[in-house]
Amino acid sequence: MKVTAERLENCQVELTIEVDEERVEQELRRAARRISKQRRIPGFRAGKAPYDVVLRLFGKEALYQVVLEDLTPTVFKEALEKEGIEPFAKAELVDAQFEPMVLKMVVPVAPIVELGDYRQLRLTPPEVTVSDEEVEAVLKRIQTQHGQWQPVDRPAQLGDQAIVDIESTVEGEVVFSNQERVLLLEAESLYPVPGFSEQIVGMVIGEDREFDLPYPDNVANKELAGKESHFKVHLHDLKELVLPDLDDDLARTVGDFETLDELKAQIRENLRTEAEREAEDRFVNEVLTATVERARIEFPPVLLERELDSLLEERDRALRQIEGLNLDNWLQMRKKSREEYRDELRPKAVERLKRGLALGKVVELEGIVLEDGEVEDQIERLSSAFGEQADKARDALSSPDNKRSIASDLLTSKALRRLVAIAKGEVEDEIDEEKELL
Amino acid sequence: MHIYEVIKRPIDTEKTRAQAEYGKYTFEVDRRANKHQVKEAVEEIFGVEVLSVNIINVPPKKGRYGRRIVTRKPAWKKAIVTLSPGERIDIFEGV
């Protein structure tokens, strides 16, 4: 058996295997015997037909097909041993020739991850500040929430709440009429047509007004799209929003606060934690991106395909959270084929795969391990979120598969934390020192 | 009758292959042929010396699918030819 191995780009090896003739011959005869066992050949009991009869009846092609199926796995294994190649995933037979028998196989091998000088990576975490304006904005929102609608007797303004009868006529026909409809007058309001609210401005209670406005092109009822409508409007009632004063009283109604300042402090505190979390997420992201950028990562295409599979699966699961949706009909709505969507996801998959590989390497290089009981703790934490069904959830999570994925999640997040610590300069070069000691 | 009309085909089965080891070769022959004609034909075509010929008239066979449909296989004549010791022919090499 002659074997040549050629390293292709992206972590694949092409093996060219030439199988010895005697061996092929032997296999051919074995194959013939098997065929004669499986298929009825007139004049012979099962398995008793001689080689030349089988050959005549089924042809050499069929025999070679059988030989190929039989021989490929064993020959492949031998070739791998001979070349000392560790296959990472299933190899693919790309070409097969007979007489002489030459097999060409592409074997994916383990991805290469070189993180480079990731320990030298230093990034400054973003400053988190909460401006007075942001606090004021939240305060304003609280104020509006606690405002009260009170009747007013003056011409209508934007921001008012109006109770109106509406009648819309298109081409002489009444297309809809609405009695005592409550409308919030806002410039950007789309109901019933854009610009309607402005037309109401200036009306007083009891007044009737008529005006023409076109329906927008994207109106739900397609027959009306783009058509001019004649509106008749009668204003029944008008209310304005009266905001409460910003004082300690408001603070007391909002919650457990004594003074307005306490409320403000709490708002500021909330905004800060939120901003900090956001900043932390962004920073983690940045660190990871920088790490991947510094690294040299190569991977076999099968890995990418697997990543894509899991991306699609996740997408499907997310969509199924919504009643009646799944990936297939969602794609149908967007008039996209599964393949197109898969291609669209490709760059994202590459990115995610690289990050995953880099983190895996960090786990390895930093010697990150899980302490005893960490997985169990995590299961406990996750399942307690299910409340009454905690026991069920705990059982489900304790399956070996889930345990493994929880363990790997934990390792990954530990690696992430380590990377962040490195980037912040909080980690001494303890690893190097340890090595020196050894 | 011409000698090439006498012999129709060799019979290739497990049994005939086994008998061929002992110099006995089996053919389907024309139903009108007799032992002498078979002997002459085999000697002429394969260039061997024939010791003896045994002939069997294979009766027609009827089969049935269900109650109605009857299938028939025609009658034919089978000749087993014994060659002189040491002689052999390659009748199974394709037809």
Side-chain angles (χ1 to χ4, degrees):
Chain A
M1 197 168 73
K2 268 184 275 176
V3 183
T4 46
E6 192 194 341
R7 185 146 186 125
L8 307 177
E9 55 192 324
N10 52 38
C11 293
Q12 301 198 99
V13 174
E14 188 183 72
L15 281 179
T16 311
I17 308 167
E18 198 183 320
V19 188
D20 297 334
E21 224 169 293
E22 302 97 80
R23 188 161 175 192
V24 175
E25 186 63 29
Q26 218 179 331
E27 286 297 323
L28 276 174
R29 288 183 182 276
R30 196 209 299 262
R33 225 172 309 145
R34 250 215 355 251
I35 290 182
S36 87
K37 251 183 197 161
Q38 288 161 354
R39 308 281 297 267
R40 273 215 53 194
I41 296 168
F44 297 90
R45 287 173 293 163
K48 298 290 185 183
Y51 178 61
D52 65 283
V53 174
V54 178
L55 198 62
R56 196 170 62 218
L57 244 50
F58 296 98
K60 209 154 193 181
E61 297 305 309
L63 282 184
Y64 269 126
Q65 213 48 54
V66 175
V67 170
L68 192 63
E69 274 162 34
D70 286 358
L71 214 49
T72 308
T74 39
V75 162
F76 175 55
K77 219 165 131 196
E78 287 169 26
L80 285 181
E81 261 164 40
K82 207 166 166 186
E83 291 294 315
I85 297 169
E86 280 282 326
F88 180 73
K90 232 175 118 198
E92 199 191 345
L93 186 68
V94 286
D95 189 30
Q97 277 179 357
F98 307 112
E99 302 178 57
M101 190 161 173
V102 178
L103 305 179
K104 273 207 168 99
M105 311 196 71
V106 172
V107 196
V109 294
I112 301 173
V113 185
E114 283 166 19
L115 292 182
D117 54 350
Y118 74 103
R119 276 194 152 256
Q120 260 62 57
L121 181 68
R122 293 288 179 275
L123 291 173
T124 354
E127 288 281 315
V128 176
T129 50
V130 178
S131 67
D132 290 342
E133 286 80 41
E134 287 171 272
V135 178
E136 290 302 325
V138 175
L139 214 50
K140 179 93 188 157
R141 218 162 44 231
I142 292 172
Q143 205 184 1
T144 320
Q145 271 163 19
H146 287 82
Q148 271 168 357
W149 292 102
Q150 278 171 4
V152 282
D153 194 13
R154 56 159 173 73
Q157 289 173 6
L158 287 180
D160 288 349
Q161 196 184 62
I163 296 171
V164 287
D165 294 345
I166 308 172
E167 191 182 284
S168 165
T169 317
V170 171
E171 291 165 0
E173 265 182 69
V174 177
V175 291
F176 85 89
S177 78
N178 230 329
Q179 309 298 318
E180 307 204 1
R181 166 96 197 184
V182 179
L183 270 190
L184 192 60
L185 300 182
E186 281 173 327
E188 57 271 20
S189 166
L190 296 176
Y191 184 88
V193 293
F196 189 86
S197 293
E198 277 102 328
Q199 295 295 330
I200 309 295
V201 169
M203 280 175 80
V204 291
I205 291 170
E207 188 185 337
D208 288 292
R209 204 175 256 192
E210 299 189 17
F211 50 86
D212 294 319
L213 276 175
Y215 278 102
D217 291 333
N218 57 1
V219 75
N221 184 346
K222 288 216 166 63
E223 281 177 29
L224 298 180
K227 289 191 177 153
E228 194 79 10
S229 163
H230 185 70
F231 286 101
K232 280 187 199 162
V233 181
H234 176 80
L235 183 62
H236 280 292
D237 210 353
L238 199 62
K239 284 175 179 173
E240 71 173 351
L241 186 65
V242 178
L243 298 178
D245 289 336
L246 279 176
D247 55 15
D248 296 351
D249 284 340
L250 178 65
R252 269 192 286 275
T253 37
V254 168
D256 203 9
F257 304 107
E258 282 304 313
T259 63
L260 186 62
D261 285 338
E262 269 181 45
L263 176 61
K264 274 189 184 169
Q266 183 61 46
I267 291 173
R268 185 174 288 276
E269 183 58 33
N270 288 349
L271 285 174
R272 173 174 289 280
T273 15
E274 199 181 314
E276 268 169 5
R277 197 169 38 230
E278 220 170 87
E280 182 71 18
D281 283 351
R282 239 190 346 247
F283 184 62
V284 167
N285 206 357
E286 236 172 73
V287 169
L288 202 46
T289 311
T291 311
V292 169
E293 266 169 18
R294 282 164 173 240
R296 188 172 86 86
I297 299 176
E298 268 181 43
F299 50 85
V302 268
L303 264 187
L304 181 57
E305 296 308 319
R306 274 191 216 162
E307 193 72 35
L308 280 168
D309 286 343
S310 69
L311 268 177
L312 284 175
E313 206 177 294
E314 278 166 31
R315 183 79 220 165
D316 187 41
R317 210 168 321 137
L319 285 168
R320 278 175 197 279
Q321 300 289 319
I322 308 164
E323 186 83 50
L325 260 186
N326 63 40
L327 187 59
D328 287 323
N329 58 31
W330 182 76
L331 284 172
Q332 219 165 27
M333 276 188 310
R334 311 187 128 219
K335 296 200 170 53
K336 238 181 254 171
S337 74
R338 223 182 161 86
E339 285 65 38
E340 281 168 349
Y341 187 54
R342 204 181 163 88
D343 272 341
E344 256 171 55
L345 286 177
R346 209 161 278 266
K348 198 176 156 200
V350 171
E351 193 52 34
R352 219 173 70 154
L353 181 58
K354 281 187 173 175
R355 289 178 167 210
L357 288 171
L359 280 175
K361 195 73 182 175
V362 172
V363 170
E364 186 189 319
L365 290 179
E366 296 286 322
I368 294 172
V369 285
L370 291 180
E371 312 292 334
D372 287 345
E374 255 185 282
V375 175
E376 281 70 22
D377 288 351
Q378 180 71 0
I379 289 174
E380 199 54 44
R381 240 193 321 277
L382 289 173
S383 52
S384 64
F386 285 89
E388 285 178 11
Q389 288 167 346
D391 284 337
K392 236 190 240 168
R394 193 177 303 118
D395 288 345
L397 288 171
S398 298
S399 78
D401 266 357
N402 280 330
K403 262 191 170 171
R404 209 170 311 130
S405 93
I406 288 172
S408 96
D409 283 353
L410 282 174
L411 276 176
T412 311
S413 64
K414 274 190 165 186
L416 251 184
R417 254 174 288 155
R418 176 69 62 102
L419 271 184
V420 168
I422 291 171
K424 284 180 180 167
E426 290 167 1
V427 175
E428 301 300 316
D429 287 343
E430 61 201 69
I431 300 286
D432 291 340
E433 279 165 31
E434 272 173 34
K435 274 192 187 140
E436 273 164 35
L437 286 175
L438 291 170
Chain B
M1 204 164 33
H2 192 268
I3 52 163
Y4 283 96
E5 287 176 282
V6 172
I7 293 177
K8 289 184 168 172
R9 64 182 181 103
I11 305 297
D12 186 6
T13 69
E14 217 179 313
K15 185 177 183 178
T16 62
R17 287 213 172 209
Q19 288 175 330
E21 306 274 318
Y22 304 104
K24 290 173 194 270
Y25 294 87
T26 309
F27 301 92
E28 179 183 347
V29 297
D30 194 287
R31 282 180 69 193
R32 289 161 302 181
N34 59 30
K35 291 185 178 179
H36 301 289
Q37 287 168 313
V38 171
K39 175 176 178 174
E40 208 175 296
V42 172
E43 287 184 337
E44 174 72 23
I45 295 168
F46 298 103
V48 291
E49 195 192 328
V50 172
L51 206 66
S52 72
V53 177
N54 293 54
I55 278 186
I56 299 158
N57 263 311
V58 183
K61 299 196 172 155
K62 288 177 187 170
R64 266 190 191 81
Y65 300 117
R67 285 197 299 155
R68 280 266 172 93
I69 303 135
V70 182
T71 56
R72 289 168 199 281
K73 276 189 194 166
W76 52 288
K77 190 174 266 187
K78 182 158 75 175
I80 302 169
V81 178
T82 311
L83 305 184
S84 293
E87 300 255 36
R88 55 187 304 269
I89 42 184
D90 287 333
I91 51 166
F92 305 118
E93 298 278 288
V95 180

